[in-house]
Amino acid sequence: MNLDELQAAAQKELSTLATMEQLEAFRIKYLGGKGLLKAASDHLKTLPNDQKRTHGGKLNTVKQAIQIGYEEAKTRLAGNPETVDTRVDITEPGRMAFVDYHSGSLHIVHQTIEALTDLFGQMGFSIAEGPEIEDEFHNFEALNVPPQHPARDPLDNFYIQRPPGATAYMLRSQTSSVQIRVLEKQKPPIRIVSPGRVYRPDTVDATHSFMFHQIEGLVVDEHITMIDLKTCIDQFAKAFFGADVETRFRPSFFPFTEPSAEFDVQFHYADGESRWVELGGCGMVDPNVLEMVHVDPEKYTGFAFGLGVERIAMRKHGIEDIRLLFENDVRFLQQF
Ligand code: DAH
């Protein structure tokens, strides 16, 4: 092929190029390291000196023409959306440095409630809920707390003002009220946990808040004994805090359980120290409570327990001041 033919062939091909792939094939064929122009220039070197000059000049002109034609074709194809590669490279790193939004997450108290209810769910409990504005019957009376009982002192509860003689309502002071709500509606066997807010007019400090969360447990069936209660608490503590924790029960008193106990969990710290930490109250459901909701205490027995959610969250995450949980400073919340 002489140089004129080469130029004509290139020109013809350039006019038919329709894609970037074809353009690249053209570049390799004519302009590439092993392309036709390289071959022509190799050939030039073999010519006698007198021919080199004329052929050399001609070769340069042809080369330039093809190069220019190539650049033009490239510009033409790049402006054509059909020839541009619009695929997204999903392996490209994102541009997070320029993006200033944060994805939200559940509050640590709610994460703890979910972890607790998940675990009790695996232990066969279902979830029950009750109202936060509660009447005295469900918060106290049916739980064997009579009217003159000190727990009902107006200074220790958030009563809601009502006309004299009208039903007294209050912000519930304990999730134990849900025990009654469930027993009124459901026949044994019962196996529920009930998480939720409770309210008490306590002075706020590092360990007290006027609002906090409890999770209540209730099991009522035939032949339920204290062994079931202790086993349940112990299994829960080991599953939640780790197989190496131990539990212990101390005699206590609650109006709605008999016998009653408080239970502690022993934590082992890295420095070799171990400490008992109180987790909640529990006991065998008092027969008076079952009678209040027309469940036969001769046939059925049960156990109940109540845990403080904040206390568990604080223990688990080493949080030393309960107020941090409710101030909702994003710098604190982001850590969980
Ligand atoms: N309601 C009790 C409290 O707020 C906690 C509690 C103790 C709940 C014993 C129970 C229980 O179900 O059996 O202090």
Side-chain angles (χ1 to χ4, degrees):
M1 208 191 300
N2 68 36
L3 287 172
D4 287 327
E5 285 167 359
L6 180 64
Q7 184 171 1
Q11 229 74 58
K12 196 172 164 213
E13 277 185 46
L14 278 171
S15 65
T16 63
L17 292 182
T19 66
M20 285 295 190
E21 285 79 25
Q22 290 171 1
L23 178 72
E24 178 61 4
F26 174 89
R27 188 190 65 74
I28 292 166
K29 179 174 172 187
Y30 287 94
L31 301 164
K34 292 176 186 162
L36 292 173
L37 285 166
K38 175 73 169 50
S41 99
D42 288 345
H43 175 66
L44 182 69
K45 289 177 195 144
T46 65
L47 293 177
N49 278 345
D50 59 333
Q51 291 187 29
K52 263 188 193 155
R53 179 168 306 181
T54 44
H55 272 85
K58 177 83 176 162
L59 178 59
N60 268 339
T61 318
V62 171
K63 206 185 236 176
Q64 273 177 19
I66 293 178
Q67 185 72 42
I68 289 168
Y70 166 78
E71 296 296 340
E72 282 171 359
K74 192 172 169 183
T75 312
R76 172 169 59 84
L77 292 174
N80 178 355
E82 280 176 25
T83 61
V84 177
D85 192 347
T86 54
R87 286 173 301 175
V88 175
D89 181 358
I90 57 164
T91 65
E92 280 261 310
R95 304 205 303 160
M96 284 311 286
F98 306 111
V99 180
D100 193 29
Y101 44 68
H102 305 277
S103 59
S105 62
L106 280 185
H107 191 282
I108 182 60
V109 168
H110 276 263
Q111 288 184 34
T112 308
I113 288 174
E114 286 204 346
L116 290 166
T117 49
D118 272 5
L119 181 50
F120 281 114
Q122 288 171 41
M123 292 169 70
F125 288 78
S126 48
I127 298 179
E129 279 182 13
E132 288 179 25
I133 296 177
E134 190 51 284
D135 54 46
E136 287 189 290
F137 176 77
H138 292 90
N139 197 86
F140 289 134
E141 205 107 348
L143 287 163
N144 206 28
V145 185
Q148 65 283 0
H149 194 282
R152 294 175 68 159
D153 191 325
L155 293 176
D156 292 332
N157 294 281
F158 285 114
Y159 284 100
I160 294 167
Q161 233 170 1
R162 302 275 290 171
T167 310
Y169 285 97
M170 60 186 297
L171 299 180
R172 68 180 176 193
S173 64
Q174 50 184 356
T175 46
S176 304
S177 56
V178 186
Q179 290 187 33
I180 304 304
R181 296 252 163 218
V182 169
L183 284 164
E184 282 173 335
K185 281 200 307 252
Q186 216 176 303
K187 292 268 157 286
I190 288 168
R191 200 174 178 83
I192 58 99
V193 284
S194 183
R197 294 191 188 93
V198 299
Y199 302 83
R200 292 175 196 178
D202 286 335
T203 304
V204 175
D205 64 21
T207 54
H208 294 87
S209 169
F210 48 82
M211 183 282 292
F212 57 99
H213 297 75
Q214 292 183 325
I215 184 162
E216 191 81 13
L218 177 68
V219 173
V220 179
D221 201 350
E222 291 177 45
H223 315 300
I224 296 289
T225 72
M226 194 124 184
I227 293 173
D228 299 307
L229 166 60
K230 290 189 78 171
T231 309
C232 175
I233 297 290
D234 194 57
Q235 282 181 345
F236 154 73
K238 286 185 163 54
F240 194 77
F241 293 107
D244 61 336
V245 303
E246 277 171 61
T247 50
R248 76 175 178 195
F249 290 70
R250 287 175 289 107
S252 185
F253 175 82
F254 297 102
F256 35 88
T257 44
E258 182 59 36
S260 304
E262 281 170 303
F263 55 96
D264 306 333
V265 173
Q266 188 178 39
F267 289 97
H268 304 287
Y269 294 91
D271 57 8
E273 227 191 290
S274 303
R275 219 173 317 138
W276 288 101
V277 177
E278 186 191 322
L279 271 201
C282 62
M284 301 306 292
V285 179
D286 193 301
N288 288 346
V289 173
L290 296 177
E291 266 170 10
M292 288 298 270
V293 289
H294 315 295
V295 172
D296 181 1
E298 297 296 329
K299 184 169 179 199
Y300 294 105
T301 51
F303 67 80
F305 56 87
L307 297 161
V309 174
E310 281 78 4
R311 180 176 288 204
I312 289 177
M314 289 165 76
R315 174 65 40 200
K316 191 141 185 165
H317 298 284
I319 301 163
E320 281 174 4
D321 194 322
I322 195 172
R323 288 169 290 199
L324 288 167
L325 295 173
F326 303 121
E327 281 164 0
N328 288 336
D329 184 328
V330 170
R331 291 167 301 177
F332 170 76
L333 296 178
Q334 269 173 346
Q335 299 174 67
F336 307 102

